Amino acid sequence: MRETHFYLLTFPSVSLSQVEVYSVTVDCTVTSRFAHTVMTSKAFNKANSSQEIFFEVELPKTAFITNFSMEIEGQVYVGEVKEKEKAKKQYEKAVSSGQTAGLVKASGRKMEKFSVSVNIAAESNVTFVLTYEELLQRKLGRYELLTRVKPKTLVQDFQIVTNIYEPQGISYVDAHATFLSNELLPLVEKTVTDRKAHISFSPTMEQQRKCPGCDGTLIDGDFIVSYDVKREKNLGDIQIVNGYFVHFFAPELPKLPKNVVFVIDTSSSMRGRKMEQTRDAMLAILQQVHEDDHFAIVRFDTVIETWKDSLTKATKENITEAMDYIRRLYRTNINDAVLTAVNMLVKDRQMERLPERSADMIILLTDGMPRVSNIGKIQENVLTAIGGNMSLYCLGFGNDVDYSFLDVMSRQNKGLARRIFEASDAVAQLQGFYDEVASPLLLEVDMHYPDNAVDSLTTSHFSQLFNGTEIVVAGHLMDNDLDNFLVEVVGQGLEEDFRVQGQVSAADWDVFYPDEEYIFGDFTERLWAYLTIQQLLEKSKSGTPDEKANTTAKALDMSLQYSFVTPLTSMVVTKPETEDSTSSPLIADKLTEGTWRKQRYNYIPAQSYPQHYQPRPTYFVDGDPHFMIELPDRGDALCFNINDKPGTIFNLVRDSNSGILVNGEIIGDKKTPPDGKINTYFWRFGIVHQTLGVRLEVSTEDISLFQDGKWVKLLWSDAASIKGSNVDLLVTKDRSLTVTLRDSVKFVILLHKVWKKHPYHRDYLGFYTLDSHLLSPGVHGLLGQFYHGINYEVADLHPGKVPEKPDATMYVKGQELNVTRGWQRDFRGDVKNGENVPCWFIHNNGTGLIDGHVTDYIVSGLFKSV
């Protein structure tokens, strides 16, 4: 039996040649912001033996899975939502009896992964259907529906269809994708009327093809639909269907001034890349602070320092002075730092230095954990000091931050927490968060409904409403008499109190959509249930033990009643019996941000890049020799060193299908340094493309290319470019060589020049792989084996030998490894100094992470495969 993976997303690890994925469809219906998405994949096992087939989907973190089914040869296996503890016992029972059960959980930045596998008989079909629902949140003036699709193969029937129904009227609709080329762009069909939009994308197999005659697909990334609705009255829009109502409120009002204190962690763990990114983000944010706002800066390490003793109006002169202060910024007393910020706002309020009608907020940026062990005491101190008079926003930087602590503390104080992932776009993440809270419109907003007309209301009081967002309230109607259904909204505005009221009338859906058989008739009830569960889950994080237990119990009951996979429930799928085993369960869980620091968790902060940029993994070896696997879709990296005697030649990449081979030879220091440790580096690489007849030797001295029956020699001291029929070379003087093989992978080799009179060190090379996804699934080698992904989990974070480098347990390839959180340098942007990249370091020459033993990769010559 073989295993085959096919995907709407992620990386395939086994050839698809024996499995035909002949249909991938995504059907989404959005009704008044509530999205109902059905993903369907169909495959046929062409082999003459059974195969294990995997179905993997990434869906938004804010979504709840509501259904999953598999159809195998006419037999349908439907998932069932159960209480998580009961599902876990069922799973453990299956494992203990030797059955092949699977526990599915993986989380990313905006997305989380659903995965299931099933054994399919020879020449048989399988259909996977996954359904999930979510309430689209309005941010920066638009709703966004994101679908991630990565079929990794040409699909006969590929289709994405989105239908949007908005009785308020649609103001605009946009559809784009990270993979859309000029040829694919016209295939996005969009039809928009006053209250309905239809978007579809269904390329043929030829249109999906990456290049003429090849099997690669262009469909690889995110398909994004964004839109907004018309707003003609300040009361908002109320919709009533089948005894439930939903109220959307997003008025157009002048912004309130705000008074914001930035509290910045400058402790040693923040120095380096984190501090540079925080500094860059703060410089950008300060330029956006409105001239009517007031602001202050508090930095903290072992001591606390304020930029000025009180808040300062955001004049051009003060902004310039503050930016100069930020540029000079180079374990963590969070308690005193936040209390200092609170006292500054309280004092300035008492001294009447701030506008009476303005919003007070504190924005805390930190990557660490509080110094004291009693985090409950810190939360109590902050809650008492703030007293409900201001909002606290906590931005947790990196993987190691105590996110649950920040989350509870911010929600107790009318704010929220956000994880900032360590990645190249961290500045954009920080700036993006500030943009969301930069323009308050109303404070202390109350939504009033007749007590004798509605019950089971979701949250109806909101501390603030920001420009570009929307308040949503839902509830149950006690009867259908709308004659006395008077709605009132009150809040604190810029110049006076905001108050608006009106009589509600139900929209006639049959009139709006006469030609539609309404397929989502209970959407208001499901939207109400979705919103209620979300809010109960948030409330369960704080309060007394009895209050937590009560809200958790209510959330669990509703999750089961409405078949939502939430953090309290699991989707249990009974896999069909096979020749080798009886039926066995598979469990899909819903993760929360807190899961990152509890039990087993994945360090997979994936996605949230600029809309038209889809980052790819980078694999490289540089330095002494440090191997690095950067995984931007997980916001993480793995690293290991290889130590051997000078003159050893290692195989780095071997792809028999495409005929590509890359080997590297290491060299040692000139002589043994005083510390007795001889450093080794790569100084020579051999690159072969047998199919194209290309042979390239790159050393620290020169570059030699053999193609078309002749040798060409280049020097590092010259800038040069060669464009051949099968390979292109670009030499940047004394810096780098870019090798582009026709219709295939791209390599970058960096030259590190060392002072010629250095008593020990020599010049050396770094090797970087780009576009590795173009190589076949059978690629291997010290680097090549990782080109199509690596599955791992990290758990049990605990102190290591060095305080700043914690240890943890990694579960990878069926083994448990002790790993250390450290960093290695990526020299692509700065050949001299490099950029520190956090990574999990695997000890002992990568043992347990790499296949086999490091000696298995030693070859006899620079162009030899053995």
Side-chain angles (χ1 to χ4, degrees), residues 358-372:
S358 58
D360 296 346
M361 64 178 69
I362 298 168
I363 298 179
L364 167 67
L365 297 92
T366 180
D367 77 330
M369 299 172 64
R371 281 190 181 277
V372 301

Side-chain angles (χ1 to χ4, degrees), residues 8-171:
L8 286 175
L9 348 103
T10 68
F11 306 95
S13 61
V14 181
S15 173
L16 293 169
S17 60
Q18 298 299 315
V19 172
E20 179 189 1
V21 182
Y22 60 89
S23 178
V24 173
T25 62
V26 182
D27 192 341
C28 182
T29 301
V30 181
T31 310
S32 295
R33 289 71 144 181
F34 197 59
H36 175 91
T37 301
V38 181
M39 289 182 161
T40 306
S41 284
K42 299 179 180 181
F44 176 67
N45 178 14
K46 298 186 294 184
N48 56 11
S49 61
S50 64
Q51 295 198 74
E52 190 78 0
I53 296 179
F54 290 74
F55 168 75
E56 295 189 3
V57 172
E58 285 183 65
L59 58 148
K61 275 187 172 182
T62 52
F64 289 156
I65 293 174
T66 61
N67 191 34
F68 174 72
S69 66
M70 302 182 293
E71 181 177 348
I72 304 170
E73 293 304 297
Q75 180 70 41
V76 179
Y77 304 86
V78 180
E80 180 183 2
V81 176
K82 293 187 176 182
E83 182 181 351
K84 179 165 286 187
E85 285 305 310
K86 291 181 180 179
K88 184 180 178 183
K89 289 178 181 177
Q90 184 176 350
Y91 164 78
E92 291 174 345
K93 182 179 178 182
V95 172
S96 64
S97 63
Q99 297 175 22
T100 55
L103 184 63
V104 182
K105 52 180 178 181
S107 186
R109 218 188 259 187
K110 283 186 175 180
M111 313 293 281
E112 60 189 15
K113 185 185 297 180
F114 174 89
S115 174
V116 64
S117 68
V118 65
N119 187 43
I120 301 299
E123 299 183 352
S124 297
N125 290 280
V126 60
T127 298
F128 297 103
V129 182
L130 178 72
T131 304
Y132 62 85
E133 296 174 350
E134 63 175 322
L135 176 63
L136 302 182
Q137 298 177 0
R138 189 170 185 253
K139 290 184 179 180
L140 302 177
R142 67 177 183 268
Y143 308 98
E144 189 174 276
L145 185 69
L146 185 152
T147 304
R148 185 164 297 169
V149 284
K150 299 188 177 188
K152 296 299 179 185
T153 185
L154 301 175
V155 180
Q156 182 179 339
D157 176 25
F158 181 91
Q159 185 172 244
I160 300 175
V161 176
T162 301
N163 288 298
I164 301 172
Y165 301 90
E166 289 288 355
Q168 271 183 265
I170 297 173
S171 61

Side-chain angles (χ1 to χ4, degrees), residues 31-32 165 241 509-510 513 516-524:
T31 310
S32 295
Y165 301 90
V241 178
W509 287 78
D510 293 332
Y513 308 109
E516 303 286 341
E517 180 182 349
Y518 193 54
I519 61 172
F520 216 30
D522 62 347
F523 89 90
T524 46

Side-chain angles (χ1 to χ4, degrees), residues 354-406:
L354 305 175
E356 180 182 355
R357 290 183 177 270
S358 58
D360 296 346
M361 64 178 69
I362 298 168
I363 298 179
L364 167 67
L365 297 92
T366 180
D367 77 330
M369 299 172 64
R371 281 190 181 277
V372 301
S373 58
N374 189 355
I375 60 175
K377 187 62 178 177
I378 297 179
Q379 292 166 341
E380 180 184 337
N381 292 343
V382 172
L383 180 62
T384 301
I386 286 180
N389 297 315
M390 59 195 72
S391 298
L392 172 63
Y393 298 96
C394 299
L395 304 182
F397 215 127
N399 298 325
D400 303 331
V401 68
D402 190 340
Y403 184 85
S404 296
F405 160 70
L406 298 179

